[in-house]
C-alpha cells in the first residue's frame, strides 16, 4: 500500500472523531461528567454548562430544598451530586436524570436517578392533568406544579434529624450481631433511603445454602431500630 495514501485517511479520521466528541449535541446527550463519589454543588455547578440542564436542575434544586427545609449551605453539605443528563434521543419527549448522594452526618447513600420530565410527546398520556402541553419545554411553574402534585416523594429525606447510631462501624457491628453473623464483608452492606426518607443499612447472611435459607436485617440509623427476618438466599 502507498504510505502516502495513509496520511490523509488518518488525518480525516482524527478530524471526524474530534468533531464528534466535542460537538454540543454530544455534550447535551451525555450531560455533565460523572463523579462516582459525588461532589458539592459549588464544584459541580462549574460542569453544569448546558443551558437546558442548568435551567431545570435549578428548579429541582429549589424544590428539593423547600421539601427538606434546608438552605444553600445545607444543600452543599448534605447533597453530593454525581451527574445530570438528559436522554438526548428525541426532540419532543425529554427527561432530565439527576443522580446524587444524600449525606447525613457520617451516613451516605446514593439515590437512584431522579427522572424529571421537561417535555412530553403528543403521543404520551402521562401526567396530562398536570402537564397538558405537549411537544414544548415545560415552564418552571409547570415543573413545580408537577413536583407539588405528589411527585416529590423522591425529594423528601430526614436530613435534619440526629442519628441514633453515631458511627458507621457501630451501625455495621450492631447489624452483624442482630443477624447472628460472625463477620460480614463491608461490600455486603447496602446503604439506601426508604420510602419514608429514612436512612437504612441492610445486609443478608446465609444460614443454610442447601435449603436456600438466609437471614436479612436492616437498621434505621435515625431511630436505631433493627428488623431481622428470614428470607430466601436465591429467588428462582
Amino acid at each position: 500500500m502507498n504510505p502516502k495514501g495513509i496520511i490523509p485517511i488518518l488525518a480525516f479520521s482524527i478530524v471526524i472523531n474530534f468533531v464528534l466528541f466535542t460537538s454540543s449535541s454530544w455534550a447535551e446527550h451525555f450531560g455533565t461528567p460523572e463523579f462516582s463519589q459525588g461532589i458539592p454543588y459549588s464544584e459541580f455547578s462549574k460542569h453544569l454548562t448546558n443551558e437546558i440542564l442548568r435551567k431545570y436542575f435549578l428548579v429541582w434544586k429549589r424544590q428539593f430544598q423547600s421539601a427538606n427545609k434546608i438552605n444553600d449551605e445545607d444543600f452543599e453539605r448534605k447533597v453530593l451530586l454525581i451527574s445530570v443528563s438528559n436522554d438526548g434521543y428525541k426532540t419532543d419527549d425529554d427527561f432530565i436524570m439527576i443522580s446524587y448522594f444524600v449525606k447525613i452526618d457520617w451516613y451516605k447513600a446514593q439515590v437512584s436517578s431522579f427522572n424529571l420530565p421537561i417535555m412530553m410527546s403528543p403521543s404520551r398520556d402521562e401526567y396530562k392533568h398536570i402537564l397538558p402541553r405537549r411537544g414544548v419545554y415545560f415552564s418552571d411553574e409547570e415543573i413545580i406544579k408537577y413536583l407539588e402534585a405528589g411527585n416529590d416523594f423522591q425529594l423528601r429525606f430526614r436530613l435534619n434529624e440526629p442519628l441514633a447510631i453515631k458511627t458507621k462501624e457501630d451501625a455495621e457491628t450492631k447489624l452483624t450481631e442482630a443477624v447472628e453473623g460472625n463477620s460480614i464483608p463491608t461490600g455486603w452492606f447496602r446503604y439506601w433511603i426508604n420510602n419514608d426518607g429514612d436512612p437504612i443499612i441492610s445486609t443478608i447472611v446465609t444460614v443454610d445454602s442447601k435449603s436456600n435459607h438466609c437471614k436479612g436485617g436492616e437498621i434505621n440509623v435515625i431511630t436505631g431500630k433493627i428488623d431481622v427476618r428470614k428470607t430466601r438466599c436465591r429467588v428462582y
Side-chain angles (χ1 to χ4, degrees), residues 161-208:
E161 299 185 39
L163 303 184
I165 311 299
K166 300 305 181 185
T167 67
K168 174 181 178 178
E169 292 73 23
D170 190 28
E172 293 183 355
T173 298
K174 289 180 182 296
L175 187 54
T176 299
E177 292 172 349
V179 296
E180 299 174 357
N182 294 325
S183 177
I184 305 173
T186 302
W188 289 16
F189 292 102
R190 179 188 172 212
Y191 286 64
W192 55 287
I193 307 292
N194 69 13
N195 289 337
D196 295 320
D198 294 330
I200 305 294
I201 304 174
S202 60
T203 192
I204 187 170
V205 295
T206 301
V207 178
D208 185 349

Side-chain angles (χ1 to χ4, degrees), residues 112-128:
S112 298
S113 295
F114 184 94
N115 293 331
L116 182 67
I118 62 174
M119 181 188 296
M120 286 283 192
S121 163
S123 62
R124 295 184 65 142
D125 293 327
E126 296 96 316
Y127 312 119
K128 264 197 170 178

Side-chain angles (χ1 to χ4, degrees), residues 83-227:
S83 66
V84 177
S85 61
N86 67 336
D87 62 32
Y89 288 111
K90 301 174 184 176
T91 58
D92 61 352
D93 194 5
D94 208 355
F95 289 77
I96 281 183
M97 292 155 283
I98 304 169
S99 297
Y100 59 99
F101 286 96
V102 166
K103 193 172 188 299
I104 311 170
D105 196 358
W106 57 266
Y107 180 92
K108 180 181 175 184
Q110 183 173 346
V111 179
S112 298
S113 295
F114 184 94
N115 293 331
L116 182 67
I118 62 174
M119 181 188 296
M120 286 283 192
S121 163
S123 62
R124 295 184 65 142
D125 293 327
E126 296 96 316
Y127 312 119
K128 264 197 170 178
H129 61 297
I130 305 170
L131 302 171
R133 296 197 303 153
R134 289 294 184 265
V136 295
Y137 282 115
F138 298 127
S139 66
D140 293 8
E141 291 73 22
E142 286 173 307
I143 296 297
I144 292 170
K145 183 180 178 182
Y146 165 82
L147 291 171
E148 290 180 343
N151 296 291
D152 64 343
F153 66 94
Q154 294 184 65
L155 298 180
R156 298 181 185 277
F157 304 97
R158 296 175 69 180
L159 298 179
N160 301 312
E161 299 185 39
L163 303 184
I165 311 299
K166 300 305 181 185
T167 67
K168 174 181 178 178
E169 292 73 23
D170 190 28
E172 293 183 355
T173 298
K174 289 180 182 296
L175 187 54
T176 299
E177 292 172 349
V179 296
E180 299 174 357
N182 294 325
S183 177
I184 305 173
T186 302
W188 289 16
F189 292 102
R190 179 188 172 212
Y191 286 64
W192 55 287
I193 307 292
N194 69 13
N195 289 337
D196 295 320
D198 294 330
I200 305 294
I201 304 174
S202 60
T203 192
I204 187 170
V205 295
T206 301
V207 178
D208 185 349
S209 59
K210 290 184 178 180
S211 62
N212 200 25
H213 178 200
C214 279
K215 187 182 291 185
E218 62 183 48
I219 182 169
N220 183 318
V221 298
I222 286 181
T223 64
K225 182 182 178 183
I226 298 176
D227 290 317

Side-chain angles (χ1 to χ4, degrees), residues 51-104:
E51 199 172 303
I52 294 295
L53 294 184
R54 175 178 284 275
K55 169 184 168 64
Y56 289 104
F57 171 82
L58 290 176
V59 175
W60 173 87
K61 179 178 179 288
R62 288 196 299 270
Q63 290 304 109
F64 184 100
Q65 291 183 211
S66 176
N68 290 287
K69 297 178 172 60
I70 62 173
N71 57 27
D72 288 340
E73 184 179 342
D74 291 328
F75 189 87
E76 183 81 0
R77 291 185 296 108
K78 297 182 178 185
V79 178
L80 300 177
L81 296 155
I82 300 171
S83 66
V84 177
S85 61
N86 67 336
D87 62 32
Y89 288 111
K90 301 174 184 176
T91 58
D92 61 352
D93 194 5
D94 208 355
F95 289 77
I96 281 183
M97 292 155 283
I98 304 169
S99 297
Y100 59 99
F101 286 96
V102 166
K103 193 172 188 299
I104 311 170

